[in-house]
Amino acid sequence: MVQDPDSLVSIPVDDVELEGVLEMPPDASGIVVFAHGSGSSRKSPRNNFVADVICDRGLATVLFDLLTEAEDQYRENRFDIPLLTDRLVAVTEWLWNREETRDANVGYFGSSTGAAAALRGAARLEDDIDAVVSRGGRVDMASAVLADVRAPTLFIVGGADTQILERNRKAREQLSCENDLYVVEGAGHLFEGEGELEEVADVAADWFAETLP
């Protein structure tokens, strides 16, 4: 993704500023907030690719750093799911306080550990979150709140990512909301094979296009 300098945003959360990118297609009826996995950032090439496909469907996207550069130096912060959830919720509230985005329906796209934050955030905000997509998600790290998620939720997992696939199947049994599990046959955790990430992006974009407008 070639980022327009005008799309760069700085989001105040507590006593820090989180750097992000907000892409707003004309007349966007929904907005997808991305929660990246551990050790990643708003610059994640995989998430940026998915965001491009979602934007092409007429939805806005927000990619932001869950941690500051200083915070990311401490590995334990990357797995502090309550902290990451707080950050995701705070960014969502920031969107609701902006004139341009306050009326948009909101969805979450979470990758790996970011998926746990997305699910926890959706459970906390209840009916205010309209859709969730998890890519290769550590959904087991949100097991305590899965029954509270109300937003339509899609799990996307690689068929060769056997441990994560089993965790997602078990987690899905705890959901009471509309939900589905999509398996990309033969794919590993990072969906690096030919056409695999494209498949992820198309399936995720379809889910958001159906649930957000």
Side-chain angles (χ1 to χ4, degrees):
M1 174 185 285
V2 177
Q3 294 173 349
D4 181 347
D6 292 337
S7 67
L8 299 178
V9 292
S10 186
I11 305 167
V13 176
D14 297 326
D15 57 347
V16 301
E17 297 274 335
L18 302 178
E19 301 304 316
V21 179
L22 171 61
E23 297 287 352
M24 287 285 294
D27 302 320
S29 57
I31 186 164
V32 178
V33 185
F34 281 70
H36 59 74
S38 61
S40 189
S41 72
R42 71 184 188 281
K43 299 177 181 178
S44 161
R46 279 177 281 276
N47 280 352
N48 274 273
F49 179 84
V50 174
D52 277 345
V53 174
I54 291 172
C55 278
D56 286 343
R57 303 290 181 92
L59 298 170
T61 59
V62 178
L63 295 100
F64 73 100
D65 293 332
L66 287 161
L67 301 169
T68 65
E69 287 188 14
E71 291 169 337
D72 195 50
Q73 300 302 310
Y74 298 91
R75 189 174 184 273
E76 59 268 24
N77 287 335
R78 300 179 180 182
F79 297 91
D80 187 342
I81 304 303
L83 171 63
L84 303 182
T85 303
D86 288 345
R87 294 285 170 85
L88 179 60
V89 169
V91 169
T92 307
E93 292 172 342
W94 173 80
L95 288 168
W96 287 334
N97 286 322
R98 298 177 75 254
E99 183 176 354
E100 301 92 329
T101 51
R102 65 171 48 134
D103 295 325
N105 291 336
V106 175
Y108 287 158
F109 182 96
S111 304
S112 193
T113 50
L119 288 162
R120 284 177 176 266
R124 185 186 304 179
L125 295 173
E126 300 179 330
D127 292 329
D128 290 328
I129 299 303
D130 299 285
V132 177
V133 174
S134 160
R135 173 180 67 80
R138 285 297 309 275
V139 294
D140 53 299
M141 299 177 80
S143 59
V145 302
L146 288 175
D148 298 323
V149 176
R150 300 181 184 179
T153 298
L154 174 65
F155 294 160
I156 304 176
V157 187
D161 193 10
T162 53
Q163 188 177 49
I164 297 297
L165 179 56
E166 181 60 24
R167 289 172 175 171
N168 275 251
R169 283 177 171 148
K170 289 181 177 178
R172 190 182 173 203
E173 295 173 359
Q174 298 175 254
L175 293 172
S176 58
C177 58
E178 176 188 349
N179 66 85
D180 202 358
L181 171 66
Y182 186 93
V183 179
V184 179
E185 295 300 333
H189 188 61
L190 298 179
F191 302 93
E192 294 178 304
E194 183 177 356
E196 292 174 355
L197 191 60
E198 288 83 352
E199 187 173 349
V200 169
D202 284 339
V203 170
D206 285 345
W207 189 264
F208 288 125
E210 291 171 4
T211 54
L212 284 185

